[in-house]
Amino acid sequence: MAFQKAVKGTILVGGGALASILGLSQFAHYRRKQVNLAYVEAAECVSEPVNREPPSREAQLLTLQNMSEFDILVIGGGATGCGCALDAVTRGLKTALVERDDFSSGTSSRSTKLIHGGVRYLQKAIMKLDIEQYRMVKEALHERANLLEIAPHLSAPLPIMLPIYKWWQLPYYWVGIKLYDLVAGSNCLKSSYVLSKSRALEHFPMLQKDKLVGAIVYYDGQHNDARMNLAIALTAARYGAATANYMEVVSLLKKTDPDTGKERVSGARCKDVLTGQEFDVRAKCVINATGPFTDTVRKMDDKNATAICQPSAGVHIVMPGYYSPESMGLLDPATSDGRVIFFLPWQKMTIAGTTDTPTDVTHHPIPSEEDINFILNEVQ
């Protein structure tokens, strides 16, 4: 194992999104290239887990306290943080991970439960000739196929119906969905198809019968994000990473680099939320994978740091299962304010929710009455 000096003391910034757990090696490479701060020359991957059973939280805390210095300390136990920890520990690096709440308590358990390339993003790519949007859709569809392959117990294809209320929209949306299949290429789950009005009403009887002219069905993936996050955290622990939840970082540790004479980050002061005990965890590199709280940790390093995170929130409500069939979801792109709304089957219930809107960062976000009423009105 070789750990280059360039990585010492840096803070690598990561997000808290579900897509970040896909293609972990690719994600790690992307982040290193994007931030341009560090590069890890790693040893051969560990072939067997160190522990057959994950150590207890008490044992993990003892490891965090007694280890003189880790190679990597990851702050944040969401999909990104646990993915970074697993990637690092299986490369032979001494790895620690701390999470303020429970694993997957934030963004990584509050998604729409979809693995999708983004039909709307593809529409923007075509309408605005935006090559970057196209590349994002292409990569997301590749990772969708990857996740369905490596975690079939937590992921599955899901047909999603797009209701059509005007005749001219039928060929318009059909071409767009077929392009979605085309961009997926060999990763296309199943070819999209057209449904007649009567067949569409069999699946979703609550649709407006007088205006409906038909529907188009396309395929995306559905995914249990929280369980995947926990599986990654447990796997990292089995391979030897010291992982502990309910451990809050209250400040960053610093020391002077003998080579440059400048201060660098050398770990974090952590507080056990359950007992109030505080202790230092020292590391050569600190990874900030706190999602919407990215800037909070960055300001611990430099209180004058410019914010780089634009938080947004999507609202979901859980409704009775009869709002959607068990094996099909619904996408409504024509809401009153132009946002997309999904109706998706999930564990015998129906999730209804919208796309993201800008918001303030709060520790426990709560949907507003306005957002809830908007969804209920759209359902009606």
Side-chain angles (χ1 to χ4, degrees):
M1 175 186 69
F3 202 90
Q4 296 188 359
K5 292 183 179 179
V7 80
K8 292 185 178 180
T10 57
I11 300 181
L12 305 183
V13 179
L18 172 65
S20 298
I21 66 177
L22 312 177
L24 297 177
S25 296
Q26 180 183 12
F27 164 75
H29 172 73
Y30 170 76
R31 275 298 184 205
R32 288 192 294 268
K33 180 179 179 182
Q34 182 189 49
V35 182
N36 197 26
L37 287 177
Y39 175 75
V40 177
E41 184 179 309
E44 293 294 327
C45 294
V46 179
S47 59
E48 291 292 335
V50 176
N51 308 295
R52 289 190 176 276
E53 293 294 332
S56 65
R57 183 174 183 271
E58 290 72 20
Q60 301 280 38
L61 292 179
L62 287 175
T63 303
L64 288 172
Q65 294 178 65
N66 296 331
M67 181 70 70
S68 58
E69 186 180 51
F70 289 93
D71 290 323
I72 289 180
L73 167 63
V74 182
I75 306 175
T80 301
C82 292
C84 289
L86 177 57
D87 190 281
V89 74
T90 53
R91 293 173 186 269
L93 303 176
K94 291 183 291 185
T95 305
L97 180 146
V98 292
E99 160 61 39
R100 177 172 58 182
D101 293 310
D102 207 348
F103 298 112
S104 194
S105 61
T107 307
S108 300
S109 63
R110 305 188 187 190
S111 74
T112 315
K113 313 300 180 186
L114 283 179
I115 329 165
H116 63 99
V119 175
R120 291 293 293 268
Y121 298 131
L122 181 60
Q123 181 187 28
K124 291 179 182 178
I126 296 172
M127 301 298 290
K128 298 181 180 181
L129 301 178
D130 189 336
I131 188 64
E132 292 302 321
Q133 292 271 5
Y134 170 79
R135 288 172 178 167
M136 180 180 68
V137 173
K138 184 77 173 176
E139 181 180 6
L141 288 171
H142 170 76
E143 295 293 6
R144 180 189 71 179
N146 178 50
L147 190 54
L148 288 167
E149 179 180 356
I150 66 175
H153 60 303
L154 300 177
S155 313
L158 177 71
I160 299 177
M161 193 175 81
L162 179 65
I164 306 297
Y165 293 100
K166 297 179 180 178
W167 282 106
W168 68 265
Q169 291 180 335
L170 194 58
Y172 174 77
Y173 283 119
W174 183 84
V175 170
I177 295 298
K178 282 301 178 182
L179 285 174
Y180 191 60
D181 293 345
L182 184 63
V183 173
S186 60
N187 295 324
C188 182
L189 302 179
K190 189 175 179 181
S191 182
S192 56
Y193 58 91
V194 176
L195 276 181
S196 65
K197 176 180 177 178
S198 60
R199 290 283 293 161
L201 289 172
E202 286 180 16
H203 291 290
F204 288 92
M206 78 287 292
L207 293 175
Q208 298 179 16
K209 299 179 177 61
D210 54 336
K211 297 181 180 180
L212 188 69
V213 298
I216 298 174
V217 176
Y218 71 97
Y219 282 77
D220 258 330
Q222 192 168 41
H223 175 66
N224 194 324
D225 52 355
R227 282 191 59 193
M228 172 61 88
N229 194 163
L230 292 174
I232 295 173
L234 289 168
T235 306
R238 290 186 63 204
Y239 275 100
T243 61
N245 55 1
Y246 297 101
M247 289 296 299
E248 181 179 6
V249 171
V250 295
S251 64
L252 295 176
L253 307 178
K254 294 186 178 182
K255 68 179 181 181
T256 303
D257 191 322
D259 296 328
T260 64
K262 296 181 180 180
E263 274 194 331
R264 62 177 178 82
V265 176
S266 60
R269 180 76 174 176
C270 298
K271 176 183 178 181
D272 187 336
V273 177
L274 302 182
T275 64
Q277 179 188 10
E278 293 188 12
F279 55 86
D280 294 339
V281 179
R282 300 195 175 275
K284 298 174 182 175
C285 173
V286 175
I287 297 180
N288 177 6
T290 55
F293 301 97
T294 292
D295 289 326
T296 303
V297 177
R298 291 179 64 245
K299 289 181 184 296
M300 292 181 184
D301 177 38
D302 178 7
K303 63 181 181 180
N304 297 319
T306 303
I308 62 173
C309 180
Q310 173 58 61
S312 62
V315 175
H316 302 83
I317 63 174
V318 180
M319 303 188 301
Y322 57 73
Y323 276 97
S324 64
E326 291 187 8
S327 58
M328 182 175 289
L330 182 139
L331 165 64
D332 181 8
T335 59
S336 57
D337 68 352
R339 282 186 289 174
V340 170
I341 189 168
F342 286 97
F343 300 88
L344 302 170
W346 183 251
Q347 298 185 355
K348 307 299 182 181
M349 303 296 282
T350 298
I351 294 178
T354 63
T355 51
D356 293 349
T357 55
T359 187
D360 295 324
V361 176
T362 57
H363 189 44
H364 295 290
I366 299 174
S368 66
E369 286 294 325
E370 181 182 357
D371 289 329
I372 295 174
N373 289 332
F374 169 79
I375 296 175
L376 292 176
N377 289 333
E378 293 301 324
V379 170
Q380 291 176 355

